Amino acid sequence: MSYVLKLGRINLFLDMGLGKTLISLTALWLWLFAGEIRKPLIVMELNGLDKKTWQNEIAKWKHLNGLTTEVIRGSERQSIDIVASTDADLYFINYEM
């Protein structure tokens, strides 16, 4: 994780079930609480958004408890208003939004 934090970006090429979501969430958590980023937007496929994959991972891992999330749905104006009016740690949107 120290390499990821130093580099400031992350690219993960792992098979299913090898922890891409957990690694990504941990990196985001570290960057958030170090003040490196604010209100990151995670763009994902609709299936992952509907299944609450990332929110379920947050609930599983003690170090991620306390991270707040907001799913963005609606028009461009509605999406901007959601981000402006909420104080979530992570924002999720799907490609088509």
Side-chain angles (χ1 to χ4, degrees):
M1 288 310 302
S2 61
Y3 177 75
V4 170
L5 292 174
K6 182 180 177 185
L7 189 59
R9 65 178 182 260
I10 185 169
N11 294 306
L12 297 172
F13 303 98
L14 300 170
D15 287 331
M16 277 186 3
L18 294 179
K20 292 180 298 295
T21 304
L22 177 59
I23 293 166
S24 299
L25 282 167
T26 300
L28 287 165
W29 178 78
L30 290 167
W31 285 324
L32 278 166
F33 292 103
E36 301 281 329
I37 59 173
R38 188 171 178 273
K39 294 191 173 196
L41 178 66
I42 295 104
V43 181
M44 64 175 58
E45 79 287 348
L46 188 58
N47 189 37
L49 196 63
D50 287 343
K51 287 184 177 180
K52 299 185 183 237
T53 304
W54 287 53
Q55 294 92 327
N56 292 337
E57 283 295 308
I58 289 169
K60 278 190 216 177
W61 299 95
K62 186 176 182 176
H63 72 286
L64 299 175
N65 286 345
L67 277 179
T68 58
T69 65
E70 187 73 39
V71 174
I72 299 172
R73 295 182 190 268
S75 69
E76 182 179 349
R77 180 75 251 161
Q78 290 170 320
S79 299
I80 291 168
D81 289 344
I82 289 169
V83 174
S85 66
T86 60
D87 197 28
D89 295 313
L90 305 172
Y91 293 85
F92 299 99
I93 194 166
N94 123 297
Y95 303 117
E96 289 83 30
M97 298 292 183

